[in-house]
Amino acid sequence: MDYVKFLKIEFLEVTLNKISYVVTCVSSFANKKNLTKKDAFLYLYANKAIAFLKEHYDIEHTLSIDDAVEDMAEICCQNGGTL
């Protein structure tokens, strides 16, 4: 396999891992806050928690999902969220 093809595959794997992680975190947040997944995503997106997860994925994905949910809730509160 050539190096460029390897890099493309590696990039795809990392991207898919990030997407899976964000989906898991949104689902857990929705369950904890008794929201639909759609409403949870819209709330988290509007209050910058999705951007936070994407930016800090390297650290956040090493923590428990419960810790990530708490971090997202804190980020939302810092950005005007009220849940």
Side-chain angles (χ1 to χ4, degrees):
M1 175 181 334
D2 66 33
Y3 187 67
V4 172
K5 193 178 230 179
F6 171 77
L7 288 177
K8 287 179 182 178
I9 291 170
E10 186 70 22
F11 176 79
L12 278 174
E13 286 180 13
V14 169
T15 301
L16 290 173
N17 287 342
K18 286 181 181 181
I19 291 168
S20 178
Y21 177 72
V22 170
V23 168
T24 299
C25 289
V26 170
S27 296
S28 294
F29 186 90
N31 289 337
K32 184 171 183 174
K33 301 294 185 178
N34 200 29
L35 299 169
T36 65
K37 291 174 187 166
K38 178 182 176 181
D39 288 341
F41 175 82
L42 293 173
Y43 174 79
L44 293 166
Y45 184 83
N47 291 291
K48 303 188 184 349
I50 299 296
F52 170 82
L53 282 182
K54 288 168 48 180
E55 182 178 344
H56 299 286
Y57 170 79
D58 291 343
I59 296 169
E60 286 291 316
H61 88 280
T62 66
L63 305 173
S64 71
I65 296 297
D66 288 337
D67 287 341
V69 168
E70 289 178 24
D71 290 346
M72 290 187 305
E74 179 63 31
I75 293 298
C76 288
C77 287
Q78 292 174 9
N79 288 288
T82 58
L83 288 179

Coordinates of all heavy atoms in Angstrom, one line a residue:
M1 N 0.9 -1.2 0.0 CA 0.0 0.0 0.0 C 0.9 1.2 0.0 O 1.9 1.3 0.7 CB -0.9 0.0 1.2 CG -1.7 1.2 1.4 SD -2.8 1.3 2.9 CE -3.1 -0.3 3.3
D2 N 0.5 2.2 -0.8 CA 1.4 3.4 -0.8 C 1.1 4.3 0.4 O 0.0 4.2 1.0 CB 1.3 4.1 -2.2 CG -0.1 4.7 -2.4 OD1 -0.8 5.2 -1.5 OD2 -0.5 4.8 -3.6
Y3 N 2.0 5.2 0.6 CA 1.9 6.1 1.8 C 0.6 7.0 1.8 O 0.0 7.2 2.8 CB 3.1 6.9 1.9 CG 3.3 7.7 3.2 CD1 3.4 7.0 4.4 CD2 3.2 9.1 3.2 CE1 3.5 7.7 5.6 CE2 3.3 9.8 4.4 CZ 3.4 9.1 5.6 OH 3.5 9.8 6.8
V4 N 0.3 7.5 0.6 CA -0.9 8.4 0.6 C -2.1 7.7 0.9 O -3.0 8.1 1.6 CB -0.9 9.1 -0.8 CG1 -2.2 9.8 -1.0 CG2 0.3 10.0 -1.1
K5 N -2.3 6.4 0.3 CA -3.4 5.6 0.6 C -3.5 5.3 2.1 O -4.6 5.3 2.7 CB -3.4 4.3 -0.2 CG -4.7 3.6 -0.3 CD -4.5 2.3 -1.1 CE -5.6 2.3 -2.1 NZ -5.5 1.2 -3.0
F6 N -2.4 5.0 2.7 CA -2.3 4.7 4.1 C -2.8 5.9 4.9 O -3.6 5.8 5.9 CB -0.9 4.4 4.6 CG -0.7 4.3 6.1 CD1 -1.2 3.2 6.8 CD2 -0.1 5.3 6.7 CE1 -1.0 3.1 8.1 CE2 0.0 5.3 8.1 CZ -0.4 4.1 8.8
L7 N -2.4 7.1 4.6 CA -2.8 8.3 5.3 C -4.3 8.6 5.1 O -4.9 9.0 6.1 CB -2.0 9.6 4.8 CG -0.5 9.6 5.2 CD1 0.1 10.8 4.6 CD2 -0.4 9.6 6.7
K8 N -4.8 8.3 4.0 CA -6.2 8.5 3.8 C -7.0 7.6 4.7 O -8.0 7.9 5.3 CB -6.6 8.3 2.3 CG -6.2 9.4 1.4 CD -6.6 9.1 0.0 CE -6.1 10.2 -0.9 NZ -6.4 10.0 -2.4
I9 N -6.6 6.3 4.7 CA -7.3 5.3 5.6 C -7.1 5.7 7.1 O -8.1 5.6 7.8 CB -6.7 3.9 5.3 CG1 -7.1 3.4 3.9 CG2 -7.2 2.9 6.4 CD1 -6.4 2.2 3.5
E10 N -6.0 6.1 7.5 CA -5.8 6.6 8.8 C -6.7 7.7 9.2 O -7.3 7.8 10.3 CB -4.3 6.9 9.1 CG -3.9 7.2 10.5 CD -4.0 6.0 11.4 OE1 -3.9 4.9 10.9 OE2 -4.1 6.2 12.6
F11 N -6.7 8.7 8.3 CA -7.6 9.9 8.5 C -9.1 9.5 8.6 O -9.8 10.0 9.5 CB -7.4 10.9 7.3 CG -8.3 12.1 7.4 CD1 -8.0 13.1 8.3 CD2 -9.5 12.1 6.7 CE1 -8.9 14.2 8.4 CE2 -10.3 13.2 6.8 CZ -10.0 14.3 7.6
L12 N -9.5 8.6 7.8 CA -10.9 8.1 7.9 C -11.2 7.4 9.2 O -12.2 7.6 9.8 CB -11.2 7.1 6.7 CG -11.5 7.8 5.4 CD1 -11.7 6.7 4.3 CD2 -12.8 8.6 5.5
E13 N -10.2 6.6 9.6 CA -10.4 5.9 10.9 C -10.5 6.8 12.1 O -11.4 6.7 12.9 CB -9.3 4.9 11.1 CG -9.3 3.7 10.3 CD -8.2 2.7 10.6 OE1 -7.5 2.8 11.6 OE2 -8.0 1.8 9.7
V14 N -9.7 7.8 12.1 CA -9.7 8.8 13.2 C -11.0 9.6 13.1 O -11.7 9.8 14.1 CB -8.5 9.8 13.1 CG1 -8.7 11.0 14.0 CG2 -7.2 9.1 13.4
T15 N -11.4 10.0 11.9 CA -12.7 10.7 11.7 C -13.9 9.9 12.2 O -14.7 10.4 12.9 CB -12.9 11.2 10.3 OG1 -11.7 12.0 9.9 CG2 -14.1 11.9 10.1
L16 N -13.9 8.6 11.8 CA -15.0 7.8 12.2 C -15.0 7.5 13.8 O -16.1 7.5 14.4 CB -14.9 6.4 11.5 CG -15.3 6.5 10.0 CD1 -15.0 5.1 9.4 CD2 -16.7 6.9 9.8
N17 N -13.8 7.4 14.4 CA -13.8 7.3 15.8 C -14.3 8.6 16.5 O -15.0 8.5 17.5 CB -12.3 7.1 16.3 CG -11.8 5.7 15.9 OD1 -12.6 4.8 15.7 ND2 -10.5 5.5 15.9
K18 N -14.0 9.7 16.0 CA -14.5 11.0 16.6 C -16.0 11.1 16.4 O -16.7 11.5 17.4 CB -13.8 12.2 15.9 CG -12.4 12.4 16.3 CD -11.8 13.7 15.6 CE -10.4 13.9 16.0 NZ -9.8 15.1 15.4
I19 N -16.5 10.7 15.3 CA -17.9 10.8 15.1 C -18.6 9.8 16.0 O -19.6 10.2 16.7 CB -18.3 10.4 13.6 CG1 -17.8 11.5 12.7 CG2 -19.8 10.2 13.5 CD1 -17.9 11.2 11.2
S20 N -18.1 8.6 16.1 CA -18.7 7.6 17.1 C -18.7 8.1 18.5 O -19.7 8.0 19.2 CB -17.9 6.3 16.9 OG -18.4 5.4 17.8
Y21 N -17.6 8.7 18.9 CA -17.4 9.3 20.2 C -18.5 10.4 20.5 O -19.1 10.4 21.5 CB -16.0 9.8 20.5 CG -15.8 10.4 21.8 CD1 -15.8 9.6 22.9 CD2 -15.7 11.8 21.9 CE1 -15.6 10.2 24.2 CE2 -15.5 12.4 23.2 CZ -15.5 11.6 24.3 OH -15.3 12.1 25.5
V22 N -18.6 11.3 19.6 CA -19.6 12.4 19.7 C -21.0 11.9 19.8 O -21.8 12.3 20.7 CB -19.4 13.5 18.6 CG1 -20.5 14.5 18.7 CG2 -18.1 14.2 18.7
V23 N -21.3 10.9 19.0 CA -22.7 10.3 19.0 C -22.9 9.6 20.4 O -24.0 9.8 20.9 CB -22.8 9.3 17.8 CG1 -24.1 8.4 18.0 CG2 -22.9 10.0 16.5
T24 N -21.9 8.9 20.9 CA -22.1 8.3 22.2 C -22.3 9.3 23.3 O -23.1 9.1 24.1 CB -20.8 7.4 22.5 OG1 -20.7 6.4 21.5 CG2 -20.9 6.8 23.8
C25 N -21.5 10.4 23.2 CA -21.6 11.4 24.3 C -23.0 12.1 24.2 O -23.6 12.4 25.2 CB -20.5 12.4 24.1 SG -18.9 11.8 24.6
V26 N -23.4 12.4 23.0 CA -24.7 13.0 22.8 C -25.8 12.1 23.3 O -26.8 12.6 24.0 CB -25.0 13.4 21.3 CG1 -26.4 13.9 21.1 CG2 -24.0 14.6 20.9
S27 N -25.8 10.9 23.0 CA -26.8 9.9 23.5 C -26.8 9.8 25.0 O -27.9 9.8 25.6 CB -26.5 8.5 22.9 OG -26.6 8.5 21.5
S28 N -25.6 9.8 25.6 CA -25.5 9.7 27.1 C -26.1 11.0 27.7 O -26.8 10.9 28.7 CB -24.1 9.5 27.5 OG -23.7 8.2 27.1
F29 N -25.7 12.1 27.1 CA -26.3 13.4 27.6 C -27.8 13.4 27.5 O -28.5 13.8 28.4 CB -25.7 14.6 26.8 CG -26.0 15.9 27.3 CD1 -25.2 16.5 28.3 CD2 -27.2 16.6 26.9 CE1 -25.6 17.8 28.7 CE2 -27.5 17.8 27.3 CZ -26.7 18.5 28.3
A30 N -28.3 12.9 26.4 CA -29.8 12.9 26.2 C -30.4 12.0 27.3 O -31.4 12.4 27.9 CB -30.1 12.4 24.8
N31 N -29.8 10.9 27.5 CA -30.4 10.0 28.5 C -30.4 10.6 29.9 O -31.3 10.5 30.7 CB -29.6 8.6 28.6 CG -29.9 7.8 27.4 OD1 -31.0 7.9 26.7 ND2 -29.0 6.9 27.0
K32 N -29.2 11.2 30.2 CA -29.1 11.8 31.6 C -30.0 13.0 31.8 O -30.6 13.2 32.9 CB -27.6 12.3 31.8 CG -27.4 12.9 33.2 CD -25.9 13.1 33.4 CE -25.8 13.6 34.9 NZ -24.4 13.7 35.2
K33 N -30.3 13.8 30.7 CA -31.1 15.0 30.8 C -32.6 14.7 30.4 O -33.4 15.7 30.3 CB -30.5 16.1 30.0 CG -29.1 16.5 30.4 CD -29.1 17.1 31.8 CE -27.7 17.7 32.1 NZ -27.7 18.3 33.4
N34 N -32.9 13.5 30.1 CA -34.2 13.1 29.6 C -34.7 13.9 28.4 O -35.8 14.4 28.4 CB -35.2 13.2 30.8 CG -36.5 12.4 30.5 OD1 -36.4 11.4 29.9 ND2 -37.6 12.9 31.1
L35 N -33.8 14.0 27.4 CA -34.1 14.6 26.1 C -34.0 13.6 25.0 O -33.5 12.5 25.1 CB -33.0 15.7 25.9 CG -32.8 16.8 26.9 CD1 -31.5 17.6 26.6 CD2 -34.0 17.8 26.8
T36 N -34.6 14.0 23.9 CA -34.4 13.2 22.7 C -33.0 13.4 22.2 O -32.4 14.5 22.6 CB -35.4 13.6 21.5 OG1 -35.1 14.9 21.1 CG2 -36.8 13.5 22.0
K37 N -32.5 12.5 21.4 CA -31.1 12.7 20.9 C -31.0 13.9 20.1 O -30.0 14.7 20.1 CB -30.7 11.5 20.2 CG -30.5 10.3 21.1 CD -30.2 9.0 20.4 CE -30.2 7.9 21.4 NZ -30.2 6.6 20.7
K38 N -32.1 14.2 19.3 CA -32.1 15.4 18.4 C -32.0 16.7 19.3 O -31.2 17.6 19.0 CB -33.3 15.4 17.5 CG -33.4 16.6 16.7 CD -34.7 16.6 15.8 CE -34.8 17.9 15.1 NZ -36.0 18.0 14.3
D39 N -32.9 16.7 20.3 CA -32.9 17.9 21.2 C -31.6 18.1 21.9 O -31.1 19.2 22.1 CB -34.1 17.9 22.2 CG -35.4 18.1 21.5 OD1 -35.4 18.6 20.4 OD2 -36.4 17.7 22.1
A40 N -31.0 17.0 22.4 CA -29.7 17.0 23.0 C -28.6 17.6 22.1 O -27.9 18.5 22.5 CB -29.3 15.6 23.6
F41 N -28.6 17.1 20.9 CA -27.6 17.5 19.9 C -27.8 19.0 19.7 O -26.8 19.8 19.7 CB -27.7 16.8 18.6 CG -26.7 17.3 17.6 CD1 -25.4 17.0 17.6 CD2 -27.2 18.3 16.6 CE1 -24.5 17.5 16.7 CE2 -26.3 18.8 15.7 CZ -25.0 18.4 15.7
L42 N -29.0 19.5 19.4 CA -29.2 20.9 19.1 C -28.8 21.8 20.3 O -28.2 22.8 20.1 CB -30.7 21.1 18.8 CG -31.2 20.5 17.5 CD1 -32.7 20.6 17.3 CD2 -30.4 21.1 16.3
Y43 N -29.1 21.3 21.5 CA -28.7 22.1 22.7 C -27.2 22.1 22.8 O -26.6 23.2 23.1 CB -29.4 21.4 24.0 CG -28.9 22.0 25.3 CD1 -29.4 23.2 25.7 CD2 -27.9 21.4 26.0 CE1 -29.0 23.8 26.9 CE2 -27.5 21.9 27.2 CZ -28.1 23.1 27.7 OH -27.6 23.6 28.9
L44 N -26.6 21.0 22.7 CA -25.1 20.9 22.8 C -24.4 21.7 21.7 O -23.4 22.4 22.0 CB -24.6 19.4 22.8 CG -25.1 18.6 24.0 CD1 -24.9 17.1 23.7 CD2 -24.4 19.0 25.3
Y45 N -24.9 21.6 20.5 CA -24.4 22.4 19.4 C -24.5 23.9 19.7 O -23.5 24.6 19.5 CB -25.0 22.0 18.1 CG -24.4 22.6 16.9 CD1 -23.3 22.1 16.3 CD2 -25.0 23.8 16.4 CE1 -22.7 22.7 15.2 CE2 -24.4 24.4 15.3 CZ -23.2 23.9 14.7 OH -22.7 24.5 13.6
A46 N -25.7 24.3 20.0 CA -25.9 25.8 20.3 C -25.1 26.3 21.4 O -24.7 27.5 21.4 CB -27.4 26.0 20.6
N47 N -24.7 25.5 22.4 CA -24.0 26.0 23.5 C -22.5 25.5 23.5 O -21.8 25.5 24.5 CB -24.7 25.5 24.8 CG -26.0 26.2 25.0 OD1 -26.0 27.4 25.3 ND2 -27.1 25.5 24.8
K48 N -22.0 25.2 22.3 CA -20.6 24.9 22.0 C -20.0 23.7 22.6 O -18.8 23.5 22.6 CB -19.8 26.2 22.3 CG -20.3 27.4 21.6 CD -19.4 28.6 21.8 CE -19.8 29.9 21.2 NZ -20.9 30.0 20.3
A49 N -20.8 22.8 23.1 CA -20.3 21.5 23.7 C -19.8 20.6 22.6 O -18.8 19.8 22.8 CB -21.3 20.9 24.6
I50 N -20.5 20.6 21.4 CA -20.0 19.7 20.3 C -18.6 20.2 19.8 O -17.7 19.4 19.6 CB -21.0 19.7 19.2 CG1 -22.4 19.1 19.6 CG2 -20.5 18.9 18.0 CD1 -22.4 17.7 20.1
A51 N -18.5 21.5 19.7 CA -17.2 22.1 19.3 C -16.1 21.7 20.3 O -15.0 21.4 19.9 CB -17.3 23.6 19.1
F52 N -16.5 21.8 21.6 CA -15.5 21.4 22.7 C -15.1 20.0 22.5 O -13.9 19.7 22.6 CB -16.2 21.7 24.0 CG -15.4 21.1 25.2 CD1 -14.4 21.8 25.7 CD2 -15.7 19.9 25.7 CE1 -13.6 21.3 26.8 CE2 -15.0 19.3 26.8 CZ -14.0 20.1 27.3
L53 N -16.0 19.1 22.3 CA -15.7 17.6 22.2 C -14.7 17.4 21.0 O -13.8 16.7 21.1 CB -16.9 16.8 22.0 CG -17.7 16.5 23.2 CD1 -18.9 15.5 22.8 CD2 -16.9 15.8 24.3
K54 N -15.1 18.1 19.9 CA -14.2 17.9 18.7 C -12.8 18.5 18.9 O -11.8 17.9 18.5 CB -14.9 18.6 17.5 CG -16.1 17.9 17.0 CD -16.9 18.7 16.0 CE -16.2 19.3 14.9 NZ -17.1 20.1 14.0
E55 N -12.7 19.6 19.5 CA -11.5 20.3 19.8 C -10.6 19.5 20.8 O -9.4 19.5 20.6 CB -11.7 21.7 20.3 CG -10.4 22.5 20.5 CD -10.6 23.9 20.9 OE1 -11.7 24.5 20.8 OE2 -9.7 24.6 21.4
H56 N -11.2 19.0 21.8 CA -10.5 18.3 22.9 C -10.7 16.8 22.9 O -10.5 16.1 23.9 CB -10.9 18.9 24.2 CG -10.7 20.4 24.3 ND1 -9.4 20.9 24.5 CD2 -11.5 21.4 24.2 CE1 -9.5 22.2 24.6 NE2 -10.8 22.5 24.4
Y57 N -10.9 16.2 21.7 CA -11.2 14.8 21.6 C -10.0 14.0 22.1 O -10.2 13.0 22.8 CB -11.4 14.4 20.1 CG -11.4 13.0 19.9 CD1 -12.5 12.2 20.1 CD2 -10.2 12.3 19.3 CE1 -12.5 10.8 19.9 CE2 -10.2 10.9 19.1 CZ -11.3 10.2 19.4 OH -11.3 8.9 19.2
D58 N -8.8 14.4 21.9 CA -7.6 13.7 22.3 C -7.6 13.4 23.8 O -7.1 12.4 24.2 CB -6.3 14.4 21.8 CG -6.1 14.4 20.3 OD1 -6.7 13.5 19.7 OD2 -5.3 15.1 19.8
I59 N -8.1 14.4 24.5 CA -8.1 14.2 26.0 C -9.4 13.6 26.5 O -9.4 12.7 27.2 CB -7.9 15.6 26.7 CG1 -6.5 16.1 26.4 CG2 -8.1 15.5 28.2 CD1 -6.2 17.5 26.8
E60 N -10.5 14.2 26.0 CA -11.8 13.8 26.4 C -12.1 12.3 26.2 O -12.7 11.6 27.1 CB -12.9 14.6 25.7 CG -13.0 16.0 26.2 CD -13.6 16.1 27.7 OE1 -14.5 15.4 28.0 OE2 -13.0 16.9 28.4
H61 N -11.6 11.7 25.1 CA -12.0 10.3 24.8 C -11.2 9.3 25.8 O -11.5 8.2 25.8 CB -11.7 9.9 23.4 CG -10.4 9.5 23.0 ND1 -9.3 10.3 22.8 CD2 -9.9 8.2 22.8 CE1 -8.3 9.7 22.6 NE2 -8.5 8.4 22.5
T62 N -10.3 9.9 26.5 CA -9.6 9.0 27.5 C -10.3 9.0 28.8 O -10.0 8.2 29.7 CB -8.1 9.5 27.8 OG1 -8.1 10.8 28.4 CG2 -7.3 9.5 26.4
L63 N -11.3 9.9 29.0 CA -12.1 9.9 30.2 C -13.3 9.0 30.1 O -13.7 8.6 29.0 CB -12.5 11.4 30.5 CG -11.4 12.4 30.6 CD1 -12.0 13.8 30.7 CD2 -10.5 12.1 31.7
S64 N -14.0 8.9 31.2 CA -15.3 8.1 31.1 C -16.4 9.0 30.4 O -16.2 10.2 30.3 CB -15.8 7.8 32.5 OG -16.3 8.9 33.2
I65 N -17.4 8.3 29.9 CA -18.5 9.0 29.2 C -19.2 9.9 30.2 O -19.6 11.0 29.9 CB -19.4 8.0 28.5 CG1 -18.7 7.2 27.4 CG2 -20.7 8.7 28.0 CD1 -18.2 8.1 26.3
D66 N -19.3 9.5 31.4 CA -19.9 10.3 32.5 C -19.1 11.6 32.7 O -19.7 12.7 32.9 CB -20.1 9.5 33.8 CG -21.1 8.5 33.7 OD1 -22.1 8.6 32.9 OD2 -21.0 7.5 34.6
D67 N -17.8 11.5 32.7 CA -17.0 12.7 32.8 C -17.2 13.6 31.6 O -17.3 14.8 31.8 CB -15.5 12.3 32.9 CG -15.1 11.7 34.3 OD1 -15.9 11.9 35.2 OD2 -14.1 11.1 34.3
A68 N -17.3 13.0 30.4 CA -17.5 13.8 29.2 C -18.9 14.5 29.3 O -19.0 15.7 28.9 CB -17.4 13.0 28.0
V69 N -19.9 13.8 29.8 CA -21.2 14.4 29.9 C -21.2 15.6 30.9 O -21.8 16.7 30.6 CB -22.3 13.4 30.3 CG1 -23.6 14.0 30.7 CG2 -22.5 12.4 29.2
E70 N -20.5 15.4 32.0 CA -20.3 16.5 33.0 C -19.6 17.7 32.3 O -20.0 18.9 32.5 CB -19.6 16.0 34.2 CG -20.4 15.1 35.1 CD -19.6 14.6 36.3 OE1 -18.7 15.3 36.7 OE2 -20.0 13.5 36.8
D71 N -18.5 17.4 31.6 CA -17.8 18.5 30.9 C -18.7 19.2 29.9 O -18.6 20.5 29.8 CB -16.5 17.9 30.2 CG -15.5 17.4 31.1 OD1 -15.5 17.8 32.4 OD2 -14.5 16.7 30.7
M72 N -19.5 18.5 29.2 CA -20.4 19.1 28.2 C -21.4 20.0 28.9 O -21.7 21.1 28.4 CB -21.1 18.1 27.3 CG -20.2 17.4 26.4 SD -21.0 16.3 25.2 CE -22.0 15.2 26.3
A73 N -21.9 19.5 30.0 CA -22.9 20.3 30.8 C -22.2 21.6 31.2 O -22.9 22.7 31.2 CB -23.5 19.5 31.9
E74 N -21.0 21.5 31.7 CA -20.3 22.7 32.2 C -20.0 23.7 31.0 O -20.2 24.9 31.2 CB -19.0 22.3 32.8 CG -18.1 23.5 33.4 CD -18.8 24.3 34.5 OE1 -19.6 23.7 35.2 OE2 -18.6 25.5 34.5
I75 N -19.6 23.2 29.9 CA -19.4 24.1 28.7 C -20.7 24.7 28.3 O -20.7 25.9 28.1 CB -18.8 23.2 27.5 CG1 -17.4 22.7 27.9 CG2 -18.8 24.1 26.3 CD1 -16.4 23.8 28.1
C76 N -21.8 24.0 28.3 CA -23.1 24.6 28.0 C -23.4 25.7 29.0 O -23.9 26.8 28.6 CB -24.2 23.5 28.0 SG -24.0 22.4 26.6
C77 N -23.3 25.5 30.3 CA -23.6 26.5 31.3 C -22.7 27.8 31.1 O -23.2 28.9 31.2 CB -23.3 26.0 32.7 SG -24.6 24.8 33.2
Q78 N -21.5 27.6 30.7 CA -20.6 28.7 30.4 C -21.0 29.5 29.2 O -20.6 30.6 29.1 CB -19.1 28.2 30.3 CG -18.5 27.7 31.5 CD -17.1 27.1 31.3 OE1 -16.5 27.2 30.2 NE2 -16.6 26.4 32.3
N79 N -21.8 28.8 28.3 CA -22.2 29.5 27.1 C -23.7 29.8 27.1 O -24.3 29.9 26.0 CB -21.8 28.6 25.9 CG -20.3 28.7 25.7 OD1 -19.7 29.7 25.3 ND2 -19.6 27.6 26.0
G80 N -24.3 29.9 28.2 CA -25.7 30.3 28.3 C -26.7 29.2 28.4 O -27.9 29.5 28.5
G81 N -26.3 28.0 28.4 CA -27.2 26.8 28.6 C -27.8 26.8 30.0 O -27.2 27.2 30.9
T82 N -29.0 26.3 30.1 CA -29.7 26.3 31.4 C -30.1 24.9 31.8 O -30.9 24.8 32.8 CB -31.0 27.2 31.3 OG1 -31.8 26.7 30.2 CG2 -30.6 28.6 31.0
L83 N -29.7 23.9 31.2 CA -30.1 22.5 31.6 C -29.2 22.0 32.7 O -28.0 22.3 32.8 CB -30.0 21.5 30.5 CG -31.1 21.6 29.4 CD1 -30.9 20.6 28.3 CD2 -32.5 21.4 30.0

